[in-house]
Amino acid sequence: MTEEEFLMRFRLSKECTLSLIARIEHRLSHALTNRGCPVPSHLQVLIGLRYIATGNDQLGISDWCEVSQPFVSRCVAQVAYAIGSLCAEFIKFPDQDNLTRTKHEFMTIAGMPDPRPEVFRNRKGYFSFNVQAVCGPQLQLYNIVARWPGSAHDSNIFENSRLCQELEDGILPGYLLGDSGYPCREYLLTPLTAPHGRGENRYNASHIRTQNSVERAFGLLKRRFACLGKKMRTSMRNTKHIIVAAAVLHNLAIAYNVPEPDNAIHELHNPHDPEAQGNILDELRQQPQAMRNIQGVLKRQQIIREYFA
């Protein structure tokens, strides 16, 4: 295949895929068939990538690779688990050397001082996981939790996460930007329900444009790895592994400057799209009136006075 043909089918470049194979091949078993015919690591990885990238029916993938459908199922499970094992290496907050650059990149979006936007979304009416994620200015993922059911409330997921505890303990510096479903905290700033005056309106506008990064990150993630946008007929355990594996591959693709596929160029919620901003503003109006943490409110007002007034 040419580089373009390969990228269209697997959502990663050849160079990136070879690097991935080298990292996980020692975790892949060659005894996935019952016929005594070992399958090389590179073919297992390609089968797994093909499923994650397209979400196609496993029988179609088995015909394409000339293997059985049960083998494809076992292969997807094993490859997803192996890729997910790289989570700690590829999905993490910036180290101290890169922290200043990350804050600066966020500030250039809309003038929000030193933020890291965070969003937790799952409002559809079907069975699903409610995935929590934190993203960076280049749409890379810094944190992901993919184990809660779709009925779980966003704020409950966050408050029971290790991330929340680390922020409360001061282990992670800075703060996150969250949507209107969360209480305002010193480490989690939310938009104002009814802004008054120039400073508060500028803060809300900056909040919307900056938090839009995570909307775009989710949009790109689901378009690059289309299985996440389809009904997955895999076990609950394997589905969790596939979600995390897709997140790892997303960061790997960004690290290798893999171009976005054609269907991922127009990402979710253009920050300059009036309709997109209208949807976000609708969320702002739903914010609870009572703030659970007065220190968070004071922190938000301090930022408004110092940077937006």
Side-chain angles (χ1 to χ4, degrees), residues 170-199:
I171 297 174
L172 292 175
Y175 54 86
L176 308 176
L177 298 186
D179 65 20
S180 55
Y182 302 90
C184 188
R185 305 282 178 87
E186 286 185 286
Y187 49 81
L188 177 58
L189 300 183
T190 60
L192 291 153
T193 307
H196 298 287
R198 180 171 179 267

Side-chain angles (χ1 to χ4, degrees), residues 203-259:
Y203 165 82
N204 263 19
S206 177
H207 191 290
I208 290 172
R209 289 184 60 190
T210 308
Q211 190 192 5
N212 182 261
S213 299
V214 80
E215 297 282 355
R216 295 169 57 220
F218 272 128
L220 176 57
L221 176 66
K222 292 174 68 175
R223 285 178 170 85
R224 176 173 267 148
F225 302 110
C227 73
L228 300 182
K230 299 181 179 181
K231 293 181 179 180
M232 299 173 65
R233 294 174 174 83
T234 51
S235 69
M236 182 179 295
R237 177 175 179 271
N238 287 341
T239 300
K240 295 176 185 178
H241 293 161
I242 290 170
I243 293 171
V244 175
V248 171
L249 294 173
H250 171 80
N251 279 7
L252 190 63
I254 292 175
Y256 276 80
N257 296 313
V258 176

Side-chain angles (χ1 to χ4, degrees), residues 46-67:
L46 292 178
I47 290 174
L49 288 180
R50 180 69 172 174
Y51 176 79
I52 296 173
T54 65
N56 286 351
D57 182 76
Q58 292 185 0
L59 184 61
I61 296 176
S62 71
D63 291 341
W64 171 66
C65 294
E66 298 183 346
V67 296

